[in-house]
Amino acid sequence: MSLGERPPSAEHSLTGFAGPSSRPTTLAELQRLQEASLADREGYWRSQASRLRWSTAFTQISDEELREGRVRWFSGGQLKATDNVFGPLADAGRLDLPALLVSLPGGGLTPISYRELQSEVLALAAALAARGLQPGDRLACFLPDGQAAIALALACAHLGLIEVPVNIEHPFDVAHAILANCDASLLVIAGEDCSGGVGGQLQDAFGPERTVVVGHAADPRSPSYADLLAAGRFLPPPPAVAVDAEHPLCLLYPGAGTSIPRGAVFATGGFLVQAGSSYDDLFCLAGPRSTGDALLCTLPLASAAGLAYGLWGPLLHGACLVLSPAGEGLAATALAQLAEACPGLALLCSPRLLARLRQELGEGHLPASAQLGLVAACGDVLPPRLVAFAGAALTGLPERVLNLWIQRATGVALIASLPAGELNRPGALGLAALGVEPRVLNDAGEVCRPNESGQLVFASSWPAMVRGLWGQPERYWERYFSRIPGCFVTNDGARVDREGFFWGMGRLDDRIKVAGRSLSTSEVESTLAGHPRIAEAAVVGFSGDEGGSLVSFLVARELAVGEDEPPEAEGLRLELARYLQMRLGEFAVPARLVFVRELPRTRSGKVVRRVLRRIATGDVSQDEDWSAVANPGALQDLVRQSGR
């Protein structure tokens, strides 16, 4: 079986999410659709929800009061998540279509059909049910993205369990805090990570009896994934559980540790409706190349983008997921091999991966036989130079390079550039999705004029949005709804031009995207300041070709008179890097650790971060007037150091 056996897209529309026969290609057409979707918002979302199979019809489309942080969608409705994946294909006799194409270590691809995937999901569900797991129980997965992770996500949804995907890059402290916060009933880890790795530490802390190991189990008390599957195949397959539309599908935790982990709750009904609808709008295209049939997602499944576009969206369309273990480390040669095996392959990645491919290919491009059908990037704003590169070297069609604006709390991309020349502006966040109401407000809460910067908010809810923070209802309201009554706050700055394109203007809080993951600079600062050899720390972020980077300015406790750096400074830098890696993760280690005698401050005692950011980017000189700073000598020393 190969992907080439799949019939043309117009003929294999087997699900309710078949794409429309025509799509807007002009701003005027899209604006008419946007206006119509908001004029009859409930009618629009009713039509999208009707594309799913419901066990019990919903009685109300939306029930929201953003001033109170109350959001519900499709009240009264019940649905079976896995029936919406496998049911339409079974009815059409097409379960033998490829669901997964798995990269082999020595090259080549192994196809897994929807029939084979369904068999694995049912066996897992039977085994999990036999272990006593009930709807609403949490199952945590600390696994690399792959076949087992996808099958477990589907098995959880089949039984009404709440999946908790934990990013495999998390250090032990963060991952352990997540398991404690969600009170997981079962943990699944990778066998190769058992001997001395974070997975092994989690296995010891969580309890081997409550841990399942994919691969070889170092502790005989932990059953293996293979044992679980084998046991499940001898049990009768359990029927899919019909859950309420608001029943949690999964919990997503942020990319860095906080004092109390924040598990974003996503509702089954609303998330599946909008993940399917959004995937259709962005990835399922008509044109000279057939796209939407196969997608390679290099972003983690433990992210909103991975969950929506690397799992549920494609599977609801009967599409094929191409699985590569390289993830964001994918090389151009490997990408070309996958694209040749899957004509029209769509790629979802971060701008960081595109920047690396640009360095690797230089002036070259993928062979004509390996051109991608579409490239979509999220995590950081996609700069025009990377759009130009990807359009020339990867797709051959610049309009097939998309920027997606998505946050963990939004669930799906609410603003995006679209695959048509007039609907794509390199460097812009993009255009508003249908059925949502983004606004840019000034400090007085008024709508900004065209091209006036303000804060990006949403004036109404949408089906896929976060429903709460696990066990923290007050924190949910405070974080998203308290600051501007009646609006959902994103903490992103933006402006809207006269044509309706949104442009990013940076974060309004202290967060920055590093390696596609949101990170608080104050969190890194407080962690560094907790090291016994550090007296003070200031961390600033800035953007480059590969996304956000951090630079830390440190005052060491051990300083000789007249010296900036402590004894054995390089050794201390390595020690601090390991210290951050263990507590926050490798991505939180700053690109540079700069030692200073003192941090520059205002006369009121605040650290001058604006100037530190300029120093970090080299945008400063020794000739400037620092008289407004309380200790100008500290700044002069820093500028001198940066010029070395």
Side-chain angles (χ1 to χ4, degrees):
M1 175 176 52
S2 70
L3 195 63
E5 295 175 9
R6 190 181 289 272
S9 58
E11 299 175 13
H12 81 270
S13 298
L14 306 176
T15 75
F17 282 104
S21 56
S22 63
R23 297 177 180 275
T25 58
T26 68
L27 275 171
E29 291 173 340
L30 181 63
Q31 286 165 354
R32 283 196 294 270
L33 288 174
Q34 288 172 329
E35 290 170 3
S37 72
L38 294 179
D40 184 13
R41 192 167 68 107
E42 293 209 345
Y44 172 77
W45 286 115
R46 181 183 289 107
S47 70
Q48 300 306 307
S50 68
R51 300 162 85 175
L52 286 180
R53 298 181 171 197
W54 294 82
S55 304
T56 303
F58 46 84
T59 56
Q60 185 176 9
I61 302 297
S62 66
D63 175 18
E64 63 181 25
E65 178 45 74
L66 299 193
R67 291 176 181 274
E68 300 173 4
R70 187 183 78 244
V71 175
R72 292 180 61 85
W73 280 82
F74 311 119
S75 297
Q78 291 189 328
L79 73 168
K80 302 173 182 178
T82 51
D83 275 5
N84 279 282
V85 172
F86 300 111
L89 294 169
D91 292 348
R94 306 306 294 273
L95 281 171
D96 290 322
L97 286 173
L100 311 176
L101 285 174
V102 184
S103 296
L104 299 175
L109 293 167
T110 295
I112 306 295
S113 70
Y114 272 90
R115 189 184 307 280
E116 292 168 314
L117 180 60
Q118 182 184 42
S119 175
E120 184 170 349
V121 168
L122 291 176
L124 280 175
L128 293 173
R131 288 179 66 98
L133 272 70
Q134 300 289 326
D137 288 346
R138 274 75 63 204
L139 185 149
C141 294
F142 189 77
L143 290 173
D145 296 334
Q147 181 177 342
I150 290 171
L152 281 162
L154 292 171
C156 287
H158 189 86
L159 292 175
L161 307 179
I162 304 172
E163 188 209 7
V164 186
V166 183
N167 195 307
I168 197 73
E169 295 180 3
H170 281 329
F172 169 76
D173 289 349
V174 174
H176 186 259
I178 289 172
L179 296 181
N181 180 261
C182 71
D183 190 21
S185 299
L186 190 68
L187 168 66
V188 184
I189 61 174
E192 61 267 22
D193 197 34
C194 283
S195 301
V198 174
Q201 297 175 57
L202 292 174
Q203 183 182 30
D204 293 339
F206 195 71
E209 300 85 354
R210 293 196 296 157
T211 304
V212 172
V213 179
V214 178
H216 176 68
D219 192 318
R221 292 174 294 171
S222 290
S224 72
Y225 183 83
D227 292 338
L228 203 67
L229 268 180
R233 295 192 191 280
F234 286 99
L235 298 171
V241 174
V243 298
D244 185 83
E246 285 295 310
H247 181 82
L249 176 69
C250 72
L251 307 181
L252 287 183
Y253 284 82
T258 57
S259 55
I260 303 175
R262 301 188 304 271
V265 182
F266 292 97
T268 302
F271 191 87
L272 294 187
V273 166
Q274 200 166 4
S277 174
S278 182
Y279 183 84
D280 193 1
D281 291 339
L282 296 170
F283 290 90
C284 298
L285 313 176
R289 290 189 183 87
S290 174
T291 60
D293 288 352
L295 175 117
L296 169 62
C297 176
T298 63
L299 302 173
L301 293 179
S303 67
L307 190 70
Y309 305 120
L311 178 61
W312 287 105
L315 294 182
L316 287 169
H317 284 76
C320 178
L321 295 173
V322 179
L323 306 180
S324 169
E328 286 281 279
L330 186 69
T333 52
L335 176 60
Q337 291 170 356
L338 294 173
E340 286 180 344
C342 309
L345 178 68
L347 170 66
L348 174 63
C349 64
S350 73
R352 190 161 160 255
L353 173 57
L354 296 181
R356 260 205 305 272
L357 292 173
R358 180 172 174 246
Q359 286 184 334
E360 185 178 344
L361 288 172
E363 298 299 320
H365 54 79
L366 295 184
S369 59
Q371 292 282 288
L372 299 172
L374 182 140
V375 171
C378 62
D380 293 299
V381 177
L382 189 60
R385 60 185 173 276
L386 290 183
V387 175
F389 155 74
L394 304 183
T395 67
L397 297 169
E399 67 271 19
R400 293 289 178 91
V401 181
L402 310 184
N403 182 81
L404 310 184
W405 181 87
I406 179 172
Q407 294 184 341
R408 182 174 58 100
T410 67
V412 299
L414 300 185
I415 299 172
S417 50
L418 298 173
E422 195 174 325
L423 307 179
N424 199 312
R425 293 287 186 279
L429 298 181
L431 296 157
L434 301 183
V436 301
E437 295 185 83
R439 295 178 183 172
V440 178
L441 305 182
N442 61 23
D443 291 342
E446 301 165 335
V447 176
C448 292
R449 298 185 299 275
N451 289 315
E452 179 185 358
S453 298
Q455 51 187 321
L456 177 62
V457 305
F458 287 84
S460 59
S461 68
W462 57 96
M465 72 182 289
V466 62
R467 291 298 197 271
L469 299 178
W470 186 255
Q472 303 170 65
E474 298 83 4
R475 198 176 186 189
Y476 171 65
W477 174 83
E478 179 183 357
R479 184 169 181 82
Y480 299 114
F481 305 101
S482 64
R483 287 168 46 190
I484 302 179
C487 290
F488 177 95
V489 177
T490 68
N491 283 319
D492 267 8
R495 64 178 173 87
V496 186
D497 65 20
R498 296 186 183 280
E499 293 182 305
F501 284 88
F502 287 78
W503 298 79
M505 304 303 291
R507 293 289 295 179
L508 299 176
D509 53 16
D510 71 340
R511 302 195 77 82
I512 183 174
K513 292 278 188 167
V514 178
R517 298 163 69 180
S518 182
L519 182 66
S520 165
T521 54
S522 61
E523 186 176 14
V524 181
E525 279 183 14
S526 61
T527 304
L528 283 169
H531 190 278
R533 295 182 63 184
I534 298 300
E536 285 187 286
V539 177
V540 296
F542 64 93
S543 296
D545 272 3
E546 295 193 6
S549 295
L550 299 177
V551 174
S552 65
F553 298 89
L554 306 167
V555 179
R557 295 188 183 277
E558 313 156 16
L559 275 181
V561 176
E563 293 294 326
D564 298 314
E565 296 197 342
E568 301 178 354
E570 287 307 313
L572 179 54
R573 285 188 176 93
L574 293 174
E575 182 180 332
L576 292 172
R578 288 192 295 268
Y579 185 77
L580 285 171
Q581 184 176 348
M582 291 295 295
R583 285 157 178 78
L584 299 179
E586 186 174 356
F587 75 104
V589 178
R592 282 185 288 154
L593 296 156
V594 181
F595 291 106
V596 297
R597 282 198 294 272
E598 58 179 325
L599 296 173
R601 299 181 183 276
T602 65
R603 299 195 184 281
S604 62
K606 295 181 179 179
V607 175
V608 191
R609 299 176 194 280
R610 174 180 54 83
V611 180
L612 289 179
R613 192 172 294 108
R614 290 179 57 202
I615 292 172
T617 58
D619 180 29
V620 71
S621 75
Q622 295 191 43
D623 300 327
E624 298 191 39
D625 180 10
W626 303 118
S627 57
V629 179
N631 52 347
L635 272 177
Q636 291 166 354
D637 289 344
L638 265 176
V639 174
R640 187 181 66 253
Q641 282 181 259
S642 66
R644 289 176 185 171

